Amino acid sequence: MTALVVAASLLVGVTLGVLGGGGSILTVPILVYLAGQDTKEAIATSLFVVGVTSLAALVPHARAGRVRWRTGLLFGGFSMAGAYAGGRLAAYVPGTVLLVSFALMMLATAVAMLRRPRPGRAKPQRVHDDLPVRHIAVEGLLVGAVPGLVGSGGGFLVVPALAVLGGLPMGVAVGTSLLVIGMNSFAGLAGHLSGFGIDWSLALTVTAAAVAGSLVGGRFAGRVPQDTLRTTFGWFVVVMGVFVLAKQLDTAVWTHPATWATLGTALAAALAVRLCRTSRRAACGGASPTAPTPRP
């Protein structure tokens, strides 16, 4: 079992190094389902593992110039307050509720990442400048509170916030997110340690393996195309969100007719929206670009 935990921890590090997020998405299930930890103990341990690993993964990204230091430090500073408050609040929330909330937020984030911007609606990418302070403050406070509550560094929210809302290139968003994740993780850990302890032997073993994986992942991050990176991140979050949700919900929920009716309705609505947008684009593309000539 120890060898399996170490191997999975290497994957955590590679994921953080390449995608700039997803560490806690993997670490919490590993600690709960492979290492046999209690949910809240696993959440606290995950924050330590992800915090240290993120800072290690930050090094190759910083050397390659894929970190916006001002944006990252300000964003992390605002989000640390929310992360600490979320960590304190987590002591009063049942573990199952935390994991189900965790999974639902992952799926919502994945939708934002996989959704392609409409033609002419895409935000310009900020290659050399930083985000406005007011923008950073609002996003940082909101993004920080959620990861602190559910026990994550927040990469699954920070990367979309920087890439989708902030308009940073995906590679820069990945590198900058690692700085924010490290700051969030230690702030959230401080909140969690007020009520829970950590198995330091297991935590240090998992962290060592994850750090090794992050250094490998960081070397490959700059070679992955931006669109591929964005799509990979989105589908990775979808898979892990569905996995965590399936493990937490009772079997009776999945076999209940109302569940499948709801899922079917949601799928039909999504397909209808997709077909409607496709037909609109086709109609616009087929329209004549010039006005008809009036009759004499």
Side-chain angles (χ1 to χ4, degrees):
M1 184 63 72
T2 302
L4 186 58
V5 170
V6 171
S9 300
L10 282 169
L11 180 59
V12 169
V14 172
T15 303
L16 270 171
V18 174
L19 301 179
S24 57
I25 296 175
L26 281 172
T27 307
V28 172
I30 288 171
L31 295 172
V32 171
Y33 303 121
L34 295 184
Q37 285 194 327
D38 173 77
T39 298
K40 293 188 176 181
E41 182 185 7
I43 286 175
T45 304
S46 170
L47 288 168
F48 175 79
V49 174
V50 173
V52 175
T53 306
S54 297
L55 296 181
L58 178 66
V59 175
H61 285 275
R63 289 177 176 174
R66 294 191 296 268
V67 178
R68 295 289 179 268
W69 292 101
R70 176 180 174 275
T71 296
L73 290 172
L74 286 174
F75 197 109
F78 283 111
S79 63
M80 282 177 72
Y84 178 78
R88 294 298 299 268
L89 181 61
Y92 305 99
V93 182
T96 300
V97 174
L98 288 176
L99 286 179
V100 170
S101 301
F102 193 19
L104 293 176
M105 283 183 291
M106 283 191 284
L107 294 176
T109 301
V111 170
M113 291 297 294
L114 293 172
R115 184 179 180 183
R116 294 183 179 276
R118 297 179 185 179
R121 294 284 300 275
K123 292 188 177 184
Q125 292 186 334
R126 303 170 179 268
V127 179
H128 297 294
D129 58 339
D130 293 288
L131 304 182
V133 175
R134 182 172 60 181
H135 196 164
I136 295 172
V138 174
E139 291 184 13
L141 288 171
L142 294 175
V143 168
V146 175
L149 178 63
V150 300
S152 77
F156 70 101
L157 289 176
V158 176
V159 173
L162 295 174
V164 178
L165 301 179
L168 292 180
M170 188 62 186
V172 175
V174 167
T176 306
S177 74
L178 291 170
L179 176 60
V180 179
I181 291 169
M183 297 171 70
N184 276 352
S185 295
F186 289 116
L189 177 63
H192 279 271
L193 286 180
S194 62
F196 308 101
I198 288 181
D199 180 350
W200 289 106
S201 176
L202 176 63
L204 292 175
T205 300
V206 172
T207 301
V211 167
S214 72
L215 297 178
V216 175
R219 295 181 66 87
F220 287 97
R223 305 176 186 178
V224 182
Q226 302 291 307
D227 290 342
T228 302
L229 199 60
R230 183 188 182 108
T231 303
T232 302
F233 186 94
W235 283 113
F236 170 78
V237 176
V238 167
V239 172
M240 292 308 302
V242 170
F243 173 77
V244 173
L245 195 60
K247 294 291 289 186
Q248 290 302 309
L249 295 182
D250 189 83
T251 305
V253 175
W254 294 109
T255 57
H256 198 282
T259 302
W260 290 102
T262 302
L263 292 175
T265 302
L267 180 60
L271 289 175
V273 171
R274 169 68 71 175
L275 290 175
C276 181
R277 289 178 177 174
T278 302
S279 62
R280 284 181 181 178
R281 285 196 294 266
C284 292
S288 175
T290 59
T293 303
R295 295 182 178 180

